[in-house]
Every structure is written in C-alpha cells, then in structure tokens.
Amino acid sequence: MKKSLILTTLLLGAMTFSGCGSSDSPKGDSTNNSSNNASNNGSSNNGSSNNSSNNGSSNLSSILVPVSTNTVCDPKAVTFEDTTYDVKYAADGDITIMCKTQSDFIFGEYALVAGVNTLTITQLDRVESYAFNTNKMKGTGVDTYNYKDGSVHHNINGTENGKTIKYDCTEIYPSPLPLTLTDKESIEDLIDWEGDDNDRISTTCPESYYADIDEEDEDDMGVGTAKFVTNYTLTDSDGKKHYITESGDVTFK
C-alpha cells in the first residue's frame, strides 16, 4: 500500500462500512435517518522528520466543500471496533444513492434515476479532501482525479508521530473514459477508479510515496477525529453534469 494512503485508509473504511454495496455488518446500531429519493503535474517532496504540527484548520472551509447538498441517503452513524463512522450522500442529476438495508445495516447504493437506462460519461472529476486531527496524525490532504486525462494529483501536508508527511505529485494512467453506465456495478467500477500501478504511464511521486507500511501502523490512527468530503462531477455525452458528494466524520477512540 502507498505510504501516504495511511491518511485515507480509515476514511475508505467509512465507505466500506457505510458505503456502496457493502455486505459486512459493523458492530453497533444502524438505522436510517433519511432516505429521500430526491433526485499539474506537481513536484514531489517527502519532508524530513520534525516536531511541527499542522492540522489544516485554516483551510478546512476551502477544501471540505460539497458539490451537492441534496441529501439522498443519510444512514445513522455506525461503530466498528473503536472507530465510529458517520457518512451521508448527496446527489443532483441522473445518478443517485439509494439507502439499502441488510441485516439491520443501512448502506448507500448507487443507481441511475428512474427513467434513465444508460448514461455515457465523457468526463469525471473527483476530489477527495480530508483532514485528520488525532494524537498521532494531523494534517490535510486533497487527491484530485481527472478521469479523462487519466491523472491523479496528490497534495498531502501533515505530520505522523511528529514526522512530516508532504507530497505534491501527479500520476498518469490510461483513461477509463468514455464509459456507458447501465447499473450499480458499472457506476461503482467507474466511481472507484484508482489507476492500475501496473499500467501507470508516468509519475512525479517519489519512491517513499509507494513504500509499503505495516498493517499495524496502517490501522493505528491514534485518538481523535477526521473529516472528509469526496466530490464527483460527471459530464455525459450530451454535456449534462451530474453531481455526487460523499461526506462524513470519523472518530477514533
């Protein structure tokens, strides 16, 4: 696993436990609060160890901004082991998220809105923004995906156990577009695109970005909180834009 992804591992856990199509049931209650059917390439730099701290509070308002505030699924917060996830979904356009229930566990599932059978996507911009503030990790990160160009730009600035983590770099992969969406599987496959390291065309990220980390370190985020917003702006073959926002809070105990 890429070393910098230690900052997003638990946030992806939020998507796994409260997100699209998960069949795993975390411990704790899970009831539905809302189930509305509304419809640079950059230079790379890994900083040296120091004792500075950056929780990114000054720029949270600028990076944690949703592209949609039309909430379509808002499951109750769930707790898995010592971590609590509170995630909600908003959407505008021809793609929505439906609240589904399985074994007392409610999760969001992607779907085309009623009356739309197919949707050909020619561009997708995805921006994953997150901020950590725990006794082990402090900082912010923004990962920007341009699906048409096949580019992924990482901008991460923070500290882990007093050691600076800083990346500003870009990866280039073959584009997954255009792609025609027909069902939840095709939507999820596109939404979750990361780029295959085996097919990577180029990168400005240093070797440290791709260094493996111990699973123990990966799972130990310390005690504190994290916030995240993932925005998707999809453009179809008719030039119409569709917006999705996944946002939430994670509490580490």
Side-chain angles (χ1 to χ4, degrees), residues 229-251:
V229 172
T230 300
N231 287 319
Y232 303 88
T233 301
L234 302 95
T235 306
D236 66 28
S237 53
D238 293 325
K240 180 179 178 180
K241 292 187 182 298
H242 313 267
Y243 303 96
I244 300 170
T245 294
E246 300 170 349
S247 60
D249 299 273
V250 185
T251 302

Side-chain angles (χ1 to χ4, degrees), residues 32-185:
N32 185 17
N33 290 340
S34 171
S35 181
N36 304 321
N37 288 325
S39 44
N40 339 326
N41 286 347
S43 62
S44 57
N45 176 33
N46 177 229
S48 59
S49 174
N50 62 37
N51 291 320
S52 65
S53 157
N54 174 19
N55 62 15
S57 58
S58 61
N59 66 348
L60 290 188
S61 60
S62 63
I63 69 170
L64 297 175
V65 179
V67 294
S68 174
T69 57
N70 179 38
T71 301
V72 291
C73 179
D74 188 3
K76 184 179 179 180
V78 296
T79 298
F80 182 79
E81 295 179 346
D82 293 328
T83 305
T84 299
Y85 304 93
D86 191 4
V87 184
K88 68 178 178 180
Y89 306 87
D92 289 282
D94 294 338
I95 302 174
T96 191
I97 298 93
M98 308 294 290
C99 273
K100 300 290 185 179
T101 303
Q102 180 174 326
S103 302
D104 298 325
F105 173 51
I106 295 175
F107 58 90
E109 183 176 277
Y110 288 108
L112 297 175
V113 298
V116 176
N117 297 320
T118 63
L119 194 65
T120 299
I121 302 302
T122 58
Q123 171 61 314
L124 199 165
D125 295 293
R126 169 171 131 220
V127 181
E128 298 177 344
S129 305
Y130 45 89
F132 273 83
N133 188 8
T134 76
N135 62 342
K136 291 191 64 174
M137 306 186 69
K138 298 183 186 298
T140 60
V142 179
D143 294 322
T144 305
Y145 295 74
N146 183 318
Y147 284 51
K148 186 175 182 179
D149 294 344
S151 65
V152 185
H153 181 234
H154 308 283
N155 192 336
I156 299 167
N157 188 8
T159 60
E160 178 195 354
N161 291 325
K163 180 180 179 180
T164 295
I165 299 176
K166 185 175 181 64
Y167 294 101
D168 185 357
C169 59
T170 301
E171 301 171 297
I172 303 295
Y173 298 92
S175 172
L177 298 178
L179 184 69
T180 298
L181 307 179
T182 58
D183 53 21
K184 75 178 185 70
E185 284 80 10

Side-chain angles (χ1 to χ4, degrees), residues 1-3 5-10 81 83 136-137 160-161 211-222 252:
M1 171 178 285
K2 298 169 185 176
K3 187 173 183 180
L5 291 189
I6 191 170
L7 292 173
T8 58
T9 300
L10 266 293
E81 295 179 346
T83 305
K136 291 191 64 174
M137 306 186 69
E160 178 195 354
N161 291 325
D212 289 335
I213 57 175
D214 294 335
E215 288 186 13
E216 233 176 79
D217 292 336
E218 176 185 329
D219 292 337
D220 186 7
M221 297 296 187
F252 310 101

